[in-house]
Amino acid sequence: MEQQQTEQQEEGEGELQLEGLVVCTYNVNWGACPDGLPSPAALSVVDAFVKQSPHVVLMQEVTLEWAEFLEANEVVTSLYPHRAYHTDKNWLGGGMAVLSKLAFEDKGWIEAPSNWFHAWIITLHPSSAAGEVSIINLHLRPPLSPTSPFMGVSLQAWYQSKQDRLEDTKVFVDRWAEACSMLRCMETMRRTGLGGKWLTSEKVIACGDFNEETSGLAYKWLESCGMRDARQEFDPTTDTWHWPLLNGWYTTRAKYDHIFYPPNQLRCLTARVSQEGGSDHFPVFATFVSHTTDSSSSGDKQSAETPETA
């Protein structure tokens, strides 16, 4: 595992006053940037999120080559002065990146019990309408086997991966509680059997490539903890993943990418999938404000659009 963090703003310069915190999750596809150079696929990935100008971008499948390309891209570095990267020596698809307009604190890189992809926790500093927000970047196990001769496909992996995604998520959430200084609350939840329901007591966001749709075990567990998926709430019919088969004659599609939040702590104004970019996944955007800073909050959805600029 390697880590790199870059911050180009002086202390105090990043205090942006925002009407809403716009979060983007994006699996950029590790193979879309094979040599660190500005390939058409890599450039289109950048264009897909830059044109929406979210305040923070949580990336999955980031390799050293992807990090080199992003650091050499002047549009990215000027728009996002706070950047950090984790790459995974065991999995090409296991790396992550955070690109942010706001200063953030790295709260930990969490190893997955399944030995698949890890999770990453950051805390954004309180300079937005959402206040201080803790975010966990997730890339849960795909329904594949590294030893299968059939392009990773196996029936056993399909079923085993469901449980792995659930168990990994539970461990990630436990470690997240520690990172959020919620250890005492977490121990209470364990004793009472409430598990991850501490999530609704904090301003937190869980996002990323879940490798499962709304029927998945990890997805359902987060729902049972009181969390809500912004993508499903505002844009439930748009696919977030596509993969061509049979030489392009058929494309399989799914809704694997999600942005969860606690509706009693944060209010989601809008969320949508932008079906563009050179990855097999599409970026998902969501805009949040805190209930305490939204004087018009009544629990109803507002017709707000994701800002083109910030």
Side-chain angles (χ1 to χ4, degrees), residues 265-310:
Q265 297 289 331
L266 295 170
R267 185 178 182 210
C268 186
L269 302 181
T270 184
R272 70 183 185 91
V273 182
S274 180
Q275 287 194 318
E276 55 186 324
S279 173
D280 54 324
H281 289 256
F282 299 121
V284 182
F285 302 87
T287 303
F288 299 98
V289 294
S290 170
H291 277 305
T292 58
T293 60
D294 180 17
S295 60
S296 63
S297 174
S298 61
D300 298 327
K301 298 176 187 176
Q302 290 183 343
S303 57
E305 296 297 328
T306 301
E308 294 291 316
T309 59

Side-chain angles (χ1 to χ4, degrees), residues 183-208:
L183 184 58
R184 189 178 345 179
C185 178
M186 183 182 70
E187 293 297 338
T188 301
M189 295 300 181
R190 283 174 174 168
R191 288 196 300 270
T192 58
L194 294 177
K197 293 209 171 181
W198 70 268
L199 291 168
T200 57
S201 66
E202 293 287 304
K203 294 176 184 176
V204 295
I205 294 172
C207 66

Side-chain angles (χ1 to χ4, degrees), residues 9 14 20 75 95 104 110 151 157 218 222 240 261 268 298:
Q9 281 189 319
V75 174
F104 65 87
I110 310 172
M151 299 181 64
L222 282 173
T240 72
Y261 72 101
C268 186
S298 61

Side-chain angles (χ1 to χ4, degrees), residues 202-223:
E202 293 287 304
K203 294 176 184 176
V204 295
I205 294 172
C207 66
D209 174 8
F210 282 58
N211 272 305
E212 65 180 28
E213 298 204 34
T214 58
S215 60
L217 299 180
Y219 187 103
K220 289 297 186 185
W221 184 77
L222 282 173
E223 281 191 322

Side-chain angles (χ1 to χ4, degrees), residues 35-62:
D35 51 16
L37 300 178
S39 67
L43 288 171
S44 66
V45 163
V46 168
D47 185 61
F49 68 83
V50 163
K51 66 171 58 175
Q52 304 300 331
S53 192
H55 304 114
V56 59
V57 184
L58 291 305
M59 292 180 170
Q60 304 88 42
E61 296 202 17
V62 175

Side-chain angles (χ1 to χ4, degrees), residues 54-277:
H55 304 114
V56 59
V57 184
L58 291 305
M59 292 180 170
Q60 304 88 42
E61 296 202 17
V62 175
T63 59
L64 283 172
E65 291 76 17
W66 259 114
E68 291 172 4
F69 165 71
L70 292 169
E71 284 300 301
N73 189 296
E74 293 183 359
V75 174
V76 171
T77 56
S78 62
L79 189 59
Y80 297 103
H82 304 279
R83 305 178 301 280
Y85 307 88
H86 267 296
T87 55
D88 192 327
K89 65 181 180 181
N90 296 320
W91 299 101
L92 286 172
M96 292 180 169
V98 178
L99 311 179
S100 181
K101 298 178 181 180
L102 308 172
F104 65 87
E105 183 179 357
D106 185 341
K107 304 294 283 190
W109 177 252
I110 310 172
E111 295 187 2
S114 67
N115 293 319
W116 278 80
F117 306 139
H118 302 337
W120 192 4
I121 302 167
I122 67 164
T123 297
L124 290 177
H125 288 293
S127 52
S128 76
E132 183 174 281
V133 178
S134 179
I135 304 177
I136 189 167
N137 189 2
L138 298 172
H139 187 192
L140 302 182
R141 178 189 171 173
L144 301 173
S145 167
T147 60
S148 170
F150 304 106
M151 299 181 64
V153 177
S154 80
L155 190 61
Q156 181 181 5
W158 180 268
Y159 285 101
Q160 180 60 43
S161 66
K162 296 180 181 182
Q163 194 65 34
D164 281 346
R165 287 191 291 272
L166 173 62
E167 297 305 321
D168 284 353
T169 300
K170 288 182 176 180
V171 170
F172 292 155
V173 167
D174 276 358
R175 291 287 306 278
W176 196 10
E178 298 173 14
C180 291
S181 300
M182 292 293 294
L183 184 58
R184 189 178 345 179
C185 178
M186 183 182 70
E187 293 297 338
T188 301
M189 295 300 181
R190 283 174 174 168
R191 288 196 300 270
T192 58
L194 294 177
K197 293 209 171 181
W198 70 268
L199 291 168
T200 57
S201 66
E202 293 287 304
K203 294 176 184 176
V204 295
I205 294 172
C207 66
D209 174 8
F210 282 58
N211 272 305
E212 65 180 28
E213 298 204 34
T214 58
S215 60
L217 299 180
Y219 187 103
K220 289 297 186 185
W221 184 77
L222 282 173
E223 281 191 322
S224 74
C225 295
M227 299 285 276
R228 181 181 297 169
D229 179 14
R231 182 205 56 77
Q232 179 66 15
E233 182 180 6
F234 286 88
D235 195 1
T237 62
T238 306
D239 296 317
T240 72
W241 173 81
H242 64 294
W243 191 264
L245 299 172
L246 304 176
N247 293 320
W249 283 98
Y250 174 76
T251 299
T252 182
R253 304 176 187 276
K255 302 171 184 67
Y256 286 158
D257 304 85
H258 312 289
I259 302 178
F260 277 92
Y261 72 101
N264 63 324
Q265 297 289 331
L266 295 170
R267 185 178 182 210
C268 186
L269 302 181
T270 184
R272 70 183 185 91
V273 182
S274 180
Q275 287 194 318
E276 55 186 324

